[in-house]
């Protein structure tokens, strides 16, 4: 079952909240979550830069935990949500975890404009669709959601 656009927006807003929680805990303001095909939240995570440094991205944390907790057949029916388009590392982790769908709010290119040359977030100019298209298994991607861009950007104001 494909979740509705309204559900996608609600889950994306939750990832913004998770990012703000991560920020309040001293990490980068990113959050991600895994949702099953019925709309049940299975896993939530914020960025963990304070412990894991650069690889501590919320999307990779969610995907790695999902791969441990659920069978590939289940994950193929799940959706990973992130306010921002996942980087190449996170897209690859999502692919290898066998998560079937990714939904994101704002592009990596837009994030790069916001963070500039901050050494803690040197974004790559490689969109997630290119990463997924290089794989042998189809990953569905929905995003960006322009109606959420201002809200997502506000969650990073004053951070970078």
């Amino acid at each position: 079952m494909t979740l509705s656009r309204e559900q996608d927006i609600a889950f994306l807003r939750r990832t913004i909240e998770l990012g703000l929680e991560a920020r309040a805990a001293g990490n980068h303001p990113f959050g991600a979550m895994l949702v099953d095909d019925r709309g049940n939240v299975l896993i939530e995570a914020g960025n963990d830069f304070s412990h894991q440094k650069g690889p501590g991205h919320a999307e990779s944390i969610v995907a790695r935990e999902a791969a441990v907790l659920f069978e590939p057949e289940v994950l193929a029916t799940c959706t990973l949500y992130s306010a921002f388009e996942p980087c190449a590392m996170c897209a690859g982790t999502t692919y290898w975890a066998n998560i079937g769908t990714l939904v994101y709010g704002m592009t990596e290119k837009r994030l790069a404009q916001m963070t500039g040359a901050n050494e803690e977030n040197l974004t790559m100019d490689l969109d997630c669709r290119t990463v997924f298209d290089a794989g042998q298994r189809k990953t569905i991607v929905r995003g960006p959601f322009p109606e959420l861009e201002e809200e997502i950007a506000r969650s990073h104001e004053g951070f970078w």
Side-chain angles (χ1 to χ4, degrees):
M1 173 174 92
T2 301
L3 300 176
S4 71
R5 187 166 182 87
E6 292 76 24
Q7 288 172 301
D8 283 348
I9 289 171
F11 288 130
L12 287 170
R13 283 196 167 117
R14 176 63 184 142
T15 67
I16 296 168
E17 293 172 6
L18 291 167
L20 291 171
E21 292 170 13
R23 181 178 180 165
N27 291 294
H28 296 172
F30 299 98
M33 61 195 300
L34 185 71
V35 176
D36 72 14
D37 62 347
R38 293 178 310 280
N40 299 307
V41 176
L42 303 176
I43 302 170
E44 294 183 327
N47 177 281
D48 190 25
F49 185 83
S50 62
H51 295 101
Q52 298 181 33
K53 305 299 180 218
H57 294 192
E59 302 92 340
S60 283
I61 292 168
V62 168
R64 286 191 311 268
E65 185 176 343
V68 170
L69 295 175
F70 302 101
E71 293 300 318
E73 300 79 30
V74 172
L75 292 173
T77 68
C78 291
T79 302
L80 188 143
Y81 285 90
S82 175
F84 286 92
E85 177 179 13
C87 70
M89 174 187 71
C90 292
T93 307
T94 299
Y95 175 84
W96 284 108
N98 202 46
I99 297 170
T101 302
L102 167 78
V103 176
Y104 70 89
M106 183 186 285
T107 66
E108 175 108 2
K109 286 188 185 298
R110 178 68 178 98
L111 175 62
Q113 292 170 353
M114 292 170 45
T115 62
N118 186 297
E119 64 185 48
E120 290 185 5
N121 198 59
L122 295 172
T123 60
M124 302 173 82
D125 189 14
L126 180 61
D127 67 89
C128 70
R129 284 179 172 89
T130 300
V131 174
F132 291 130
D133 287 346
Q136 296 181 49
R137 177 178 54 256
K138 174 78 172 144
T139 303
I140 298 165
V141 178
R142 296 193 300 272
F145 284 69
E147 64 268 40
L148 293 176
E149 186 164 332
E150 283 185 42
E151 191 174 336
I152 295 168
R154 270 195 311 274
S155 72
H156 284 244
E157 282 180 0
F159 187 84
W160 305 102

